Amino acid sequence: MPHRAVARLREILPPPVSGGDSIDWQEIERTTGLTLPVDYREFVESYGGGEIDEYLSISTPPVPGSAYGDLLDRTDPALADQEHLLALLPGSELPSLLPFADSASSDVAFWLCEGAPDDWRVAVFRRQTPYGMNRWTVFDGGMASFCVAVLTGKVNPLSERLSAGDRHEFLTWRRV
């Protein structure tokens, strides 16, 4: 049965006709020790790497020929104000951050890798903010729910607002 948030995402963001990327998820788990959330795996299988509305780029595990296959090469960023993110979270330790998306404005969406992968929340570092505002936003949901919320205008954690209109487009790496 498809993940509920991915099914909703397919309604508002049609997957590319060419389909997604084929990934050996078990091999990734075996070689990296990293289990990725189900909604993300379904997204990659339906969409692959590419861009939402030519603004939000989604990374995937390595795929031959794809410029978006850098998910496993990315590391926790050396961002100067991670203490501002920590202030938004319970506890005294910052969980590991795994970046999975970037905006054309250089914003970065991360998983907060805490607990089971399907429970990972999303944190966004916004590069362009008004003076004095926290650059971090924490979204209480997974990757697909985050994309739905951004595309429908329910949240605006990025430097630029995506159109909340009815038409959204995913440009696969095969067409970008």
PDB file of all heavy atoms in Angstrom, residues 152-175:
ATOM      1  N   THR A 152       1.430  23.073  -1.130  1.00  0.00           N
ATOM      2  CA  THR A 152       0.071  23.566  -0.894  1.00  0.00           C
ATOM      3  C   THR A 152       0.054  24.893  -0.141  1.00  0.00           C
ATOM      4  O   THR A 152      -1.009  25.455   0.110  1.00  0.00           O
ATOM      5  CB  THR A 152      -0.770  22.526  -0.118  1.00  0.00           C
ATOM      6  OG1 THR A 152      -0.126  22.234   1.123  1.00  0.00           O
ATOM      7  CG2 THR A 152      -0.970  21.256  -0.942  1.00  0.00           C
ATOM      8  N   GLY A 153       1.228  25.386   0.216  1.00  0.00           N
ATOM      9  CA  GLY A 153       1.313  26.674   0.904  1.00  0.00           C
ATOM     10  C   GLY A 153       1.020  26.609   2.386  1.00  0.00           C
ATOM     11  O   GLY A 153       0.895  27.647   3.033  1.00  0.00           O
ATOM     12  N   LYS A 154       0.946  25.408   2.968  1.00  0.00           N
ATOM     13  CA  LYS A 154       0.668  25.293   4.406  1.00  0.00           C
ATOM     14  C   LYS A 154       1.858  25.716   5.252  1.00  0.00           C
ATOM     15  O   LYS A 154       1.690  26.142   6.388  1.00  0.00           O
ATOM     16  CB  LYS A 154       0.246  23.874   4.752  1.00  0.00           C
ATOM     17  CG  LYS A 154      -1.118  23.553   4.193  1.00  0.00           C
ATOM     18  CD  LYS A 154      -1.656  22.255   4.722  1.00  0.00           C
ATOM     19  CE  LYS A 154      -3.107  22.146   4.354  1.00  0.00           C
ATOM     20  NZ  LYS A 154      -3.448  21.072   3.502  1.00  0.00           N
ATOM     21  N   VAL A 155       3.075  25.551   4.705  1.00  0.00           N
ATOM     22  CA  VAL A 155       4.280  26.026   5.381  1.00  0.00           C
ATOM     23  C   VAL A 155       5.127  26.786   4.373  1.00  0.00           C
ATOM     24  O   VAL A 155       5.041  26.547   3.170  1.00  0.00           O
ATOM     25  CB  VAL A 155       5.113  24.878   6.020  1.00  0.00           C
ATOM     26  CG1 VAL A 155       4.320  24.139   7.073  1.00  0.00           C
ATOM     27  CG2 VAL A 155       5.646  23.927   4.976  1.00  0.00           C
ATOM     28  N   ASN A 156       5.929  27.700   4.876  1.00  0.00           N
ATOM     29  CA  ASN A 156       6.808  28.476   4.020  1.00  0.00           C
ATOM     30  C   ASN A 156       8.186  28.597   4.674  1.00  0.00           C
ATOM     31  O   ASN A 156       8.570  29.664   5.114  1.00  0.00           O
ATOM     32  CB  ASN A 156       6.215  29.856   3.744  1.00  0.00           C
ATOM     33  CG  ASN A 156       7.063  30.650   2.787  1.00  0.00           C
ATOM     34  OD1 ASN A 156       7.750  30.100   1.946  1.00  0.00           O
ATOM     35  ND2 ASN A 156       7.033  31.958   2.938  1.00  0.00           N
ATOM     36  N   PRO A 157       8.925  27.489   4.727  1.00  0.00           N
ATOM     37  CA  PRO A 157      10.231  27.524   5.401  1.00  0.00           C
ATOM     38  C   PRO A 157      11.385  27.926   4.480  1.00  0.00           C
ATOM     39  O   PRO A 157      12.518  28.013   4.923  1.00  0.00           O
ATOM     40  CB  PRO A 157      10.403  26.083   5.855  1.00  0.00           C
ATOM     41  CG  PRO A 157       9.743  25.306   4.764  1.00  0.00           C
ATOM     42  CD  PRO A 157       8.566  26.144   4.336  1.00  0.00           C
ATOM     43  N   LEU A 158      11.092  28.153   3.204  1.00  0.00           N
ATOM     44  CA  LEU A 158      12.146  28.441   2.231  1.00  0.00           C
ATOM     45  C   LEU A 158      12.262  29.943   1.991  1.00  0.00           C
ATOM     46  O   LEU A 158      11.354  30.703   2.309  1.00  0.00           O
ATOM     47  CB  LEU A 158      11.840  27.715   0.920  1.00  0.00           C
ATOM     48  CG  LEU A 158      11.655  26.199   1.049  1.00  0.00           C
ATOM     49  CD1 LEU A 158      11.115  25.598  -0.236  1.00  0.00           C
ATOM     50  CD2 LEU A 158      12.949  25.529   1.462  1.00  0.00           C
ATOM     51  N   SER A 159      13.364  30.350   1.404  1.00  0.00           N
ATOM     52  CA  SER A 159      13.595  31.774   1.147  1.00  0.00           C
ATOM     53  C   SER A 159      12.571  32.364   0.182  1.00  0.00           C
ATOM     54  O   SER A 159      12.232  33.543   0.270  1.00  0.00           O
ATOM     55  CB  SER A 159      15.004  31.993   0.591  1.00  0.00           C
ATOM     56  OG  SER A 159      15.966  31.669   1.568  1.00  0.00           O
ATOM     57  N   GLU A 160      12.083  31.547  -0.740  1.00  0.00           N
ATOM     58  CA  GLU A 160      11.044  31.983  -1.670  1.00  0.00           C
ATOM     59  C   GLU A 160       9.877  31.027  -1.551  1.00  0.00           C
ATOM     60  O   GLU A 160      10.051  29.834  -1.366  1.00  0.00           O
ATOM     61  CB  GLU A 160      11.577  31.986  -3.102  1.00  0.00           C
ATOM     62  CG  GLU A 160      12.681  33.003  -3.322  1.00  0.00           C
ATOM     63  CD  GLU A 160      13.198  32.992  -4.744  1.00  0.00           C
ATOM     64  OE1 GLU A 160      12.404  32.774  -5.681  1.00  0.00           O
ATOM     65  OE2 GLU A 160      14.409  33.193  -4.907  1.00  0.00           O
ATOM     66  N   ARG A 161       8.688  31.574  -1.686  1.00  0.00           N
ATOM     67  CA  ARG A 161       7.478  30.744  -1.599  1.00  0.00           C
ATOM     68  C   ARG A 161       7.234  30.077  -2.939  1.00  0.00           C
ATOM     69  O   ARG A 161       7.271  30.715  -3.980  1.00  0.00           O
ATOM     70  CB  ARG A 161       6.277  31.608  -1.232  1.00  0.00           C
ATOM     71  CG  ARG A 161       4.982  30.824  -1.088  1.00  0.00           C
ATOM     72  CD  ARG A 161       3.820  31.722  -0.684  1.00  0.00           C
ATOM     73  NE  ARG A 161       3.916  32.163   0.684  1.00  0.00           N
ATOM     74  CZ  ARG A 161       3.507  31.444   1.730  1.00  0.00           C
ATOM     75  NH1 ARG A 161       3.003  30.250   1.562  1.00  0.00           N
ATOM     76  NH2 ARG A 161       3.616  31.920   2.943  1.00  0.00           N
ATOM     77  N   LEU A 162       6.991  28.764  -2.896  1.00  0.00           N
ATOM     78  CA  LEU A 162       6.569  28.064  -4.095  1.00  0.00           C
ATOM     79  C   LEU A 162       5.115  28.420  -4.360  1.00  0.00           C
ATOM     80  O   LEU A 162       4.344  28.646  -3.418  1.00  0.00           O
ATOM     81  CB  LEU A 162       6.705  26.550  -3.928  1.00  0.00           C
ATOM     82  CG  LEU A 162       8.122  26.006  -3.946  1.00  0.00           C
ATOM     83  CD1 LEU A 162       8.135  24.530  -3.604  1.00  0.00           C
ATOM     84  CD2 LEU A 162       8.755  26.226  -5.296  1.00  0.00           C
ATOM     85  N   SER A 163       4.737  28.459  -5.591  1.00  0.00           N
ATOM     86  CA  SER A 163       3.353  28.757  -5.938  1.00  0.00           C
ATOM     87  C   SER A 163       2.439  27.729  -5.290  1.00  0.00           C
ATOM     88  O   SER A 163       2.684  26.527  -5.386  1.00  0.00           O
ATOM     89  CB  SER A 163       3.188  28.717  -7.458  1.00  0.00           C
ATOM     90  OG  SER A 163       1.830  28.710  -7.797  1.00  0.00           O
ATOM     91  N   ALA A 164       1.405  28.195  -4.646  1.00  0.00           N
ATOM     92  CA  ALA A 164       0.428  27.293  -4.035  1.00  0.00           C
ATOM     93  C   ALA A 164      -0.671  26.952  -5.036  1.00  0.00           C
ATOM     94  O   ALA A 164      -1.704  26.437  -4.680  1.00  0.00           O
ATOM     95  CB  ALA A 164      -0.173  27.916  -2.776  1.00  0.00           C
ATOM     96  N   GLY A 165      -0.440  27.243  -6.317  1.00  0.00           N
ATOM     97  CA  GLY A 165      -1.419  26.968  -7.359  1.00  0.00           C
ATOM     98  C   GLY A 165      -1.618  25.485  -7.589  1.00  0.00           C
ATOM     99  O   GLY A 165      -1.035  24.631  -6.923  1.00  0.00           O
ATOM    100  N   ASP A 166      -2.444  25.195  -8.572  1.00  0.00           N
ATOM    101  CA  ASP A 166      -2.805  23.811  -8.854  1.00  0.00           C
ATOM    102  C   ASP A 166      -1.770  23.069  -9.683  1.00  0.00           C
ATOM    103  O   ASP A 166      -1.764  21.851  -9.720  1.00  0.00           O
ATOM    104  CB  ASP A 166      -4.147  23.760  -9.594  1.00  0.00           C
ATOM    105  CG  ASP A 166      -5.295  24.191  -8.691  1.00  0.00           C
ATOM    106  OD1 ASP A 166      -5.157  24.089  -7.467  1.00  0.00           O
ATOM    107  OD2 ASP A 166      -6.327  24.628  -9.234  1.00  0.00           O
ATOM    108  N   ARG A 167      -0.904  23.786 -10.384  1.00  0.00           N
ATOM    109  CA  ARG A 167       0.051  23.135 -11.270  1.00  0.00           C
ATOM    110  C   ARG A 167       1.469  23.195 -10.716  1.00  0.00           C
ATOM    111  O   ARG A 167       2.008  24.265 -10.496  1.00  0.00           O
ATOM    112  CB  ARG A 167       0.028  23.776 -12.649  1.00  0.00           C
ATOM    113  CG  ARG A 167      -1.284  23.538 -13.346  1.00  0.00           C
ATOM    114  CD  ARG A 167      -1.258  23.448 -14.849  1.00  0.00           C
ATOM    115  NE  ARG A 167      -0.029  23.135 -15.520  1.00  0.00           N
ATOM    116  CZ  ARG A 167       0.296  21.925 -15.963  1.00  0.00           C
ATOM    117  NH1 ARG A 167      -0.488  20.907 -15.730  1.00  0.00           N
ATOM    118  NH2 ARG A 167       1.418  21.737 -16.635  1.00  0.00           N
ATOM    119  N   HIS A 168       2.001  22.020 -10.514  1.00  0.00           N
ATOM    120  CA  HIS A 168       3.390  21.889 -10.100  1.00  0.00           C
ATOM    121  C   HIS A 168       4.041  20.885 -11.038  1.00  0.00           C
ATOM    122  O   HIS A 168       3.381  19.997 -11.570  1.00  0.00           O
ATOM    123  CB  HIS A 168       3.491  21.410  -8.652  1.00  0.00           C
ATOM    124  CG  HIS A 168       2.934  22.387  -7.680  1.00  0.00           C
ATOM    125  ND1 HIS A 168       3.592  23.531  -7.317  1.00  0.00           N
ATOM    126  CD2 HIS A 168       1.748  22.411  -7.027  1.00  0.00           C
ATOM    127  CE1 HIS A 168       2.856  24.209  -6.457  1.00  0.00           C
ATOM    128  NE2 HIS A 168       1.736  23.548  -6.266  1.00  0.00           N
ATOM    129  N   GLU A 169       5.352  21.033 -11.218  1.00  0.00           N
ATOM    130  CA  GLU A 169       6.047  20.155 -12.149  1.00  0.00           C
ATOM    131  C   GLU A 169       7.316  19.609 -11.516  1.00  0.00           C
ATOM    132  O   GLU A 169       8.054  20.332 -10.849  1.00  0.00           O
ATOM    133  CB  GLU A 169       6.412  20.928 -13.421  1.00  0.00           C
ATOM    134  CG  GLU A 169       7.074  20.071 -14.474  1.00  0.00           C
ATOM    135  CD  GLU A 169       7.406  20.846 -15.735  1.00  0.00           C
ATOM    136  OE1 GLU A 169       7.458  22.080 -15.711  1.00  0.00           O
ATOM    137  OE2 GLU A 169       7.619  20.188 -16.755  1.00  0.00           O
ATOM    138  N   PHE A 170       7.535  18.331 -11.751  1.00  0.00           N
ATOM    139  CA  PHE A 170       8.775  17.711 -11.335  1.00  0.00           C
ATOM    140  C   PHE A 170       9.619  17.487 -12.578  1.00  0.00           C
ATOM    141  O   PHE A 170       9.199  16.820 -13.515  1.00  0.00           O
ATOM    142  CB  PHE A 170       8.539  16.374 -10.620  1.00  0.00           C
ATOM    143  CG  PHE A 170       9.803  15.778 -10.083  1.00  0.00           C
ATOM    144  CD1 PHE A 170      10.298  16.191  -8.855  1.00  0.00           C
ATOM    145  CD2 PHE A 170      10.527  14.842 -10.804  1.00  0.00           C
ATOM    146  CE1 PHE A 170      11.487  15.673  -8.351  1.00  0.00           C
ATOM    147  CE2 PHE A 170      11.709  14.308 -10.309  1.00  0.00           C
ATOM    148  CZ  PHE A 170      12.187  14.736  -9.078  1.00  0.00           C
ATOM    149  N   LEU A 171      10.819  18.057 -12.576  1.00  0.00           N
ATOM    150  CA  LEU A 171      11.750  17.863 -13.689  1.00  0.00           C
ATOM    151  C   LEU A 171      12.777  16.818 -13.281  1.00  0.00           C
ATOM    152  O   LEU A 171      13.609  17.068 -12.419  1.00  0.00           O
ATOM    153  CB  LEU A 171      12.450  19.169 -14.039  1.00  0.00           C
ATOM    154  CG  LEU A 171      11.555  20.283 -14.562  1.00  0.00           C
ATOM    155  CD1 LEU A 171      12.336  21.575 -14.709  1.00  0.00           C
ATOM    156  CD2 LEU A 171      10.947  19.874 -15.889  1.00  0.00           C
ATOM    157  N   THR A 172      12.687  15.651 -13.882  1.00  0.00           N
ATOM    158  CA  THR A 172      13.619  14.588 -13.584  1.00  0.00           C
ATOM    159  C   THR A 172      14.997  14.914 -14.125  1.00  0.00           C
ATOM    160  O   THR A 172      15.120  15.686 -15.082  1.00  0.00           O
ATOM    161  CB  THR A 172      13.113  13.242 -14.183  1.00  0.00           C
ATOM    162  OG1 THR A 172      14.089  12.231 -13.962  1.00  0.00           O
ATOM    163  CG2 THR A 172      12.846  13.354 -15.663  1.00  0.00           C
ATOM    164  N   TRP A 173      16.020  14.318 -13.562  1.00  0.00           N
ATOM    165  CA  TRP A 173      17.384  14.557 -14.013  1.00  0.00           C
ATOM    166  C   TRP A 173      17.548  14.164 -15.473  1.00  0.00           C
ATOM    167  O   TRP A 173      18.426  14.653 -16.151  1.00  0.00           O
ATOM    168  CB  TRP A 173      18.394  13.834 -13.137  1.00  0.00           C
ATOM    169  CG  TRP A 173      18.288  12.334 -13.124  1.00  0.00           C
ATOM    170  CD1 TRP A 173      17.559  11.569 -12.260  1.00  0.00           C
ATOM    171  CD2 TRP A 173      18.934  11.409 -14.007  1.00  0.00           C
ATOM    172  NE1 TRP A 173      17.709  10.241 -12.540  1.00  0.00           N
ATOM    173  CE2 TRP A 173      18.557  10.105 -13.611  1.00  0.00           C
ATOM    174  CE3 TRP A 173      19.795  11.556 -15.084  1.00  0.00           C
ATOM    175  CZ2 TRP A 173      18.993   8.964 -14.263  1.00  0.00           C
ATOM    176  CZ3 TRP A 173      20.246  10.401 -15.724  1.00  0.00           C
ATOM    177  CH2 TRP A 173      19.844   9.124 -15.319  1.00  0.00           C
ATOM    178  N   ARG A 174      16.681  13.329 -15.955  1.00  0.00           N
ATOM    179  CA  ARG A 174      16.750  12.912 -17.364  1.00  0.00           C
ATOM    180  C   ARG A 174      16.353  14.038 -18.306  1.00  0.00           C
ATOM    181  O   ARG A 174      16.651  13.994 -19.482  1.00  0.00           O
ATOM    182  CB  ARG A 174      15.866  11.691 -17.599  1.00  0.00           C
ATOM    183  CG  ARG A 174      16.358  10.451 -16.879  1.00  0.00           C
ATOM    184  CD  ARG A 174      15.307   9.333 -16.909  1.00  0.00           C
ATOM    185  NE  ARG A 174      15.740   8.194 -16.149  1.00  0.00           N
ATOM    186  CZ  ARG A 174      15.495   8.017 -14.862  1.00  0.00           C
ATOM    187  NH1 ARG A 174      14.859   8.936 -14.169  1.00  0.00           N
ATOM    188  NH2 ARG A 174      15.919   6.947 -14.229  1.00  0.00           N
ATOM    189  N   ARG A 175      15.673  15.048 -17.770  1.00  0.00           N
ATOM    190  CA  ARG A 175      15.215  16.181 -18.602  1.00  0.00           C
ATOM    191  C   ARG A 175      15.847  17.508 -18.222  1.00  0.00           C
ATOM    192  O   ARG A 175      15.688  18.479 -18.931  1.00  0.00           O
ATOM    193  CB  ARG A 175      13.698  16.330 -18.456  1.00  0.00           C
ATOM    194  CG  ARG A 175      12.924  15.297 -19.191  1.00  0.00           C
ATOM    195  CD  ARG A 175      11.442  15.590 -19.222  1.00  0.00           C
ATOM    196  NE  ARG A 175      11.152  16.980 -19.496  1.00  0.00           N
ATOM    197  CZ  ARG A 175      10.102  17.633 -19.014  1.00  0.00           C
ATOM    198  NH1 ARG A 175       9.261  17.025 -18.219  1.00  0.00           N
ATOM    199  NH2 ARG A 175       9.891  18.885 -19.302  1.00  0.00           N
TER     200      ARG A 175
END
